[in-house]
Amino acid sequence: RRPVDFFRPWIDTIASTKEFSEAKSVIESAANGSSSGGGGGEDTISEAIASCTVLKELCRTISLSSDQSATLTELRSEVKSWSIGLAAVRSSAPEEDGTGASFAGAFETELGVTPDTLEDAVRTCFASMFDYRVFSYISARTDAGANNSSPTMAFAAVVMEMIDSHVAGVAFSANPLNSDRDEMVVDSSWGLGESVVDGSVHADRYVYCKINEKIVERTVGSKEQEKRLIGGGGIDIRSVDEKRQKLSSLTDEQLKQLAQLVCLVEKTYGIPIDVEWAYAPGADGGPVLKLLQARPITALFYIDDKMMTKPGERRVLYYDFNIASEATTTTPFTHMDITLYSRMVSAMCGIVEDWSFFPNDPRMPVFNASTRQYANLSIFFKFLGPDYFRRNLEFLDPYIASIFAGSDCDRKKYRIKKLPKEVSMRNAWWIFRLIPVKKIYKIGQAFKKHPEEAKEKYIQIVECDMRKVKQLEARGMDKSDGLQSYANELFRAVLPSIFQESGAIYFVILSMFNKLDAKRREGKTEKIRSEYDALCGGYEGDELMEMNIEMHRLATRLPESIWDEYDHEDLHELADRVKDNLDRKISDLPQEFLDEWKTFMDHFGFDGKDQLFLSSPRYADSPEILLGKLRQNVGAGVKDPAVTQQEQVAKRRNVMKLHEQRAKAKRYVKPFALSKVRKRNLYLDHLMWMRNAPKL
């Protein structure tokens, strides 16, 4: 062992050079997606990579201190005393070996190192600290990028005895594919484990149940090559004959022995562990298991303790239904977010009481955890299979549907055997009675029979509700009543609009869109699929599209020369400048832009990073968020969404007209087809734009 500051002189030397200062500037530009000329992209990244290469070359020219020379001399003697006289030099740094890091392999590893090549190997590992991949990873994790100055940079190198392994690989003490803590996953191949780590071979994979000590799944990879040590130092890549390619690299007994070792390491650290291991010849020539390295698994999905089953218990499958391709949020929710979001879902169902569908009990069909919301699929699988969810979710969100189509949604494995006593028909009927189904149904029938009249009535109701919301906003929250009381007032103010939207969506829009989407995906010909694709878009009045149109218009009201003055990380300065212009402290921005800015904020200032959660910053709170989105609407190649909408509307209406003509031509064969097409076209023109209304 050597002091942790062994590399500090080298770090300080590199950090003090002109080349490092120049590289920082270029790397920052690449990380921010912009160059000094206001652009960005591949050229900037190439320049950053070249700058990092210069830094890595400098690492090979730094002089050794007397202490460093003495350390290397001592290490050379130790390497000579080892059984095969070879070492592995492995790097370690906070970016790849911490509990919150997931960039293993960011730094170089040198294998088959001789005493004579030890210094070169150490320098190579140290130089990888300045690789562009490392800076990019740090930037993504900390938003600091290359601003890491020498006091925060850290590095270590481990010189280990080299193992001449015949079989090696990695093992995870918990299954990183489904986060099952009862299962161990092993990847294994012939030769050195480097082949498995760097992905150069298609390794064998084993899923092993640690509880009953049985192999759950065994997949034999092709293993076309293996990396083996050369006696004089270095690595040799050898071809594997066809017979060995088809053999399992581990026996059942070896897998059991490896599981015992992995469980011991996991117990020692007290957390799920990622282990590198190897089987090498022992004194008698037989294979001996060696533990090479252990680090925390960072890819597991962690859930509340109350959701965890005990080892060996029947597993429960949960679905985080805040994950979706269009509105995904993976950040933890605050207590306020969960409380108000749960209340909002109840309001969407027309429940005016202060009651939530989401208890805090994971035994229930849907529930609130500490920072997320889940569905207990084990309960749903009692009555419905994964394919039911896949079919019904395909048109709403193909990503979610693909999850239900995956092998992890195993109904036989996860289906609950006995329902909790609280999950009963009596309680279901009690909840159902809270929902004003009859009222919402009548509203839905009005939209179905008279879509134009119902739409006009809905618009009047929304305008009335929004006036009430504006009054509540102007009045503010009564501190003596609290936020929950104020939220209930807001929910009650918009309930008439929500009833209208629920009726239209549940009884008209969803069923129709489901049929259109099925034709779009499964139509017999490309022409049919193309026609129905046109019918699934281009709805005038869609508030999300209206927001995008207004955003583009606002962005183009500010000259590009002003946008070019600010990098992405400096947009808060532009936000201050806008505020100073609005407050008439200065006057250096176009009045047309300022007028439209005020109008946009009045209409859409409630939007932000995450519309559905109260704790998320809004445009009105953090204008730099809006400016970041506006910036994406500036420059050559950005198409006006208003033009896109006009094209989509025209395309949809052409198909509607075509379908009506076809129905007319067949009216003697199919007498009701024409009336059905005309009714559907009315829905498309007057109702489909409402589908995003509840979210906004």
Side-chain angles (χ1 to χ4, degrees):
R1 293 188 179 183
R2 295 295 158 195
V4 293
D5 61 353
F6 177 89
F7 290 99
R8 176 52 53 191
W10 286 5
I11 294 173
D12 291 341
T13 298
I14 295 295
S16 64
T17 62
K18 175 186 69 175
E19 289 84 356
F20 183 76
S21 298
E22 292 172 351
K24 281 179 59 178
S25 177
V26 177
I27 294 167
E28 288 169 7
S29 295
N32 294 327
S34 62
S35 66
S36 58
E42 294 183 4
D43 291 343
T44 310
I45 294 174
S46 297
E47 188 179 353
I49 293 173
S51 297
C52 290
T53 302
V54 171
L55 295 180
K56 292 163 74 174
E57 289 300 319
L58 283 176
C59 294
R60 300 187 178 279
T61 64
I62 305 174
S63 300
L64 291 171
S65 68
S66 57
D67 287 343
Q68 289 173 322
S69 296
T71 298
L72 288 174
T73 299
E74 184 179 340
L75 285 171
R76 289 189 187 99
S77 298
E78 290 188 29
V79 173
K80 289 178 182 179
S81 69
W82 292 341
S83 59
I84 59 176
L86 296 176
V89 180
R90 313 186 70 146
S91 54
S92 180
E95 287 71 38
E96 68 168 352
D97 287 327
T99 55
S102 59
F103 199 34
F107 301 94
E108 294 291 340
T109 293
E110 292 290 297
L111 304 178
V113 178
T114 66
D116 292 338
T117 59
L118 181 61
E119 181 182 336
D120 286 340
V122 170
R123 287 184 182 274
T124 298
C125 291
F126 174 73
S128 65
M129 180 180 184
F130 299 96
D131 194 282
Y132 177 68
R133 294 178 307 146
V134 176
F135 284 114
S136 298
Y137 177 70
I138 296 172
S139 175
R141 289 187 65 222
T142 66
D143 292 327
N147 290 320
N148 288 303
S149 58
S150 56
T152 60
M153 299 171 72
F155 183 83
V158 183
V159 180
M160 305 171 62
E161 182 176 0
M162 193 71 207
I163 301 297
D164 187 17
S165 59
H166 293 177
V167 179
V170 296
F172 301 90
S173 67
N175 191 334
L177 303 177
N178 60 13
S179 296
D180 193 327
R181 270 57 163 184
D182 288 354
E183 293 179 346
M184 175 185 76
V185 174
V186 177
D187 288 336
S188 171
S189 188
W190 305 119
L192 302 178
E194 188 75 4
S195 299
V196 177
V197 175
D198 65 17
S200 58
V201 298
H202 185 197
D204 297 339
R205 169 160 289 180
Y206 310 87
V207 179
Y208 186 87
C209 180
K210 299 181 295 182
I211 305 302
N212 58 26
E213 299 183 332
K214 291 183 179 179
I215 299 173
V216 177
E217 181 182 327
R218 186 201 312 260
T219 305
V220 177
S222 52
K223 309 183 294 296
E224 297 94 344
Q225 63 182 32
E226 61 179 330
K227 294 182 179 180
R228 300 300 297 269
L229 282 177
I230 301 174
I235 303 297
D236 183 29
I237 300 177
R238 305 173 186 173
S239 297
V240 175
D241 64 67
E242 190 172 341
K243 182 178 180 180
R244 286 181 71 217
Q245 289 180 24
K246 297 177 181 179
L247 293 177
S248 172
S249 54
L250 287 174
T251 65
D252 290 0
E253 187 58 36
Q254 288 174 328
L255 197 58
K256 182 178 180 180
Q257 183 185 22
L258 178 58
Q260 292 171 347
L261 173 64
V262 170
C263 288
L264 176 61
V265 176
E266 181 181 50
K267 182 179 180 181
T268 302
Y269 281 94
I271 54 175
I273 287 292
D274 166 4
V275 167
E276 292 185 28
W277 55 271
Y279 271 102
D284 60 356
V288 176
L289 179 60
K290 303 284 187 177
L291 172 64
L292 305 181
Q293 178 174 288
R295 61 160 62 91
I297 300 177
T298 58
L300 292 179
F301 190 89
Y302 287 89
I303 58 177
D304 291 6
D305 289 343
K306 64 183 180 181
M307 298 168 62
M308 296 285 290
T309 54
K310 294 179 181 179
E313 281 187 348
R314 188 175 183 84
R315 296 160 178 80
V316 177
L317 187 64
Y318 300 108
Y319 172 63
D320 182 340
F321 55 73
N322 298 118
I323 301 294
S325 64
E326 295 298 327
T328 293
T329 176
T330 56
T331 54
F333 299 163
T334 66
H335 179 73
M336 177 173 63
D337 287 333
I338 285 186
T339 301
L340 293 179
Y341 182 71
S342 302
R343 182 70 188 86
M344 182 177 67
V345 172
S346 299
M348 282 292 297
C349 295
I351 299 176
V352 296
E353 296 181 29
D354 189 9
W355 181 85
S356 170
F357 275 107
F358 301 89
N360 297 319
D361 188 347
R363 299 177 306 120
M364 297 297 102
V366 293
F367 62 93
N368 287 333
S370 57
T371 61
R372 304 294 292 175
Q373 293 179 309
Y374 294 93
N376 186 328
L377 290 182
S378 294
I379 290 178
F380 288 100
F381 283 176
K382 179 77 172 176
F383 309 100
L384 303 166
D387 196 56
Y388 171 85
F389 294 98
R390 180 196 61 78
R391 292 196 313 270
N392 285 276
L393 289 168
E394 192 77 49
F395 80 101
L396 280 176
D397 194 321
Y399 171 68
I400 298 178
S402 70
I403 293 176
F404 281 94
S407 58
D408 283 329
C409 277
D410 186 332
R411 186 182 185 188
K412 183 179 179 181
K413 179 178 180 180
Y414 292 110
R415 180 173 54 191
I416 196 170
K417 291 185 175 181
K418 183 179 180 181
L419 293 172
K421 63 179 182 180
E422 293 87 352
V423 181
S424 64
M425 288 300 297
R426 179 179 180 181
N427 287 342
W429 174 246
W430 179 84
I431 295 172
F432 185 75
R433 289 179 62 189
L434 294 176
I435 304 173
V437 177
K438 186 175 181 181
K439 182 175 184 177
I440 296 174
Y441 173 77
K442 285 184 176 180
I443 292 171
Q445 292 306 301
F447 277 105
K448 198 169 188 177
K449 294 177 181 177
H450 308 289
E452 292 178 86
E453 295 176 16
K455 180 189 76 171
E456 294 303 321
K457 181 180 179 182
Y458 163 69
I459 292 174
Q460 293 174 6
I461 290 173
V462 169
E463 290 174 349
C464 178
D465 287 353
M466 292 312 297
R467 284 195 294 270
K468 290 186 285 185
V469 169
K470 288 290 184 183
Q471 291 171 359
L472 287 170
E473 182 183 2
R475 189 202 75 189
M477 180 183 71
D478 188 333
K479 293 183 180 179
S480 62
D481 292 336
L483 180 60
Q484 184 66 60
S485 176
Y486 187 56
N488 287 338
E489 285 189 90
L490 289 169
F491 285 132
R492 291 190 184 97
V494 297
L495 267 180
S497 295
I498 290 177
F499 285 151
Q500 293 286 316
E501 291 155 4
S502 298
I505 291 171
Y506 295 147
F507 294 102
V508 183
I509 295 174
L510 276 181
S511 60
M512 182 178 64
F513 195 82
N514 197 356
K515 294 174 183 177
L516 295 177
D517 188 71
K519 290 278 189 179
R520 174 174 65 176
R521 292 181 290 102
E522 302 168 3
K524 292 182 179 180
T525 66
E526 177 60 33
K527 189 173 187 299
I528 291 174
R529 293 192 293 271
S530 177
E531 288 178 4
Y532 280 89
D533 182 64
L535 294 178
C536 289
Y539 306 125
E540 291 178 302
D542 185 317
E543 289 187 81
L544 281 181
M545 178 57 78
E546 293 295 328
M547 188 190 302
N548 291 335
I549 291 171
E550 293 301 320
M551 196 175 289
H552 181 271
R553 181 181 294 122
L554 177 59
T556 56
R557 295 296 184 265
L558 197 62
E560 285 192 40
S561 59
I562 294 179
W563 286 113
D564 290 343
E565 294 177 27
Y566 300 92
D567 289 331
H568 182 79
E569 73 275 10
D570 299 326
L571 288 177
H572 64 279
E573 297 177 7
L574 180 55
D576 292 339
R577 185 174 171 184
V578 172
K579 185 177 185 302
D580 288 343
N581 272 264
L582 292 171
D583 293 341
R584 301 189 182 281
K585 294 180 181 179
I586 57 176
S587 181
D588 60 355
L589 296 178
Q591 188 60 44
E592 185 180 23
F593 169 78
L594 297 173
D595 291 340
E596 294 207 19
W597 176 276
K598 288 189 289 187
T599 301
F600 185 92
M601 282 297 191
D602 186 54
H603 290 166
F604 303 113
F606 62 83
D607 199 14
K609 284 188 175 181
D610 201 326
Q611 299 158 331
L612 299 180
F613 302 100
L614 198 63
S615 64
S616 178
R618 309 289 155 167
Y619 298 150
D621 305 319
S622 303
E624 62 273 11
I625 298 174
L626 173 59
L627 289 168
K629 292 188 177 181
L630 293 181
R631 188 183 189 128
Q632 298 171 7
N633 285 270
V634 179
V638 179
K639 189 174 182 179
D640 187 343
V643 175
T644 301
Q645 186 188 47
Q646 290 170 3
E647 294 171 350
Q648 291 176 338
V649 170
K651 189 176 180 180
R652 173 176 60 81
R653 286 180 173 163
N654 285 338
V655 174
M656 288 164 56
K657 184 177 180 180
L658 176 64
H659 285 191
E660 195 166 327
Q661 290 171 347
R662 288 176 183 166
K664 272 185 181 179
K666 296 180 179 180
R667 61 185 180 276
Y668 298 114
V669 180
K670 297 181 178 180
F672 301 108
L674 181 59
S675 61
K676 288 181 178 179
V677 169
R678 284 175 172 170
K679 179 67 77 172
R680 182 206 67 185
N681 289 349
L682 282 174
Y683 296 156
L684 290 172
D685 267 336
H686 298 288
L687 302 185
M688 286 300 289
W689 62 275
M690 294 173 57
R691 58 185 182 153
N692 285 316
K695 184 163 63 174
L696 296 174

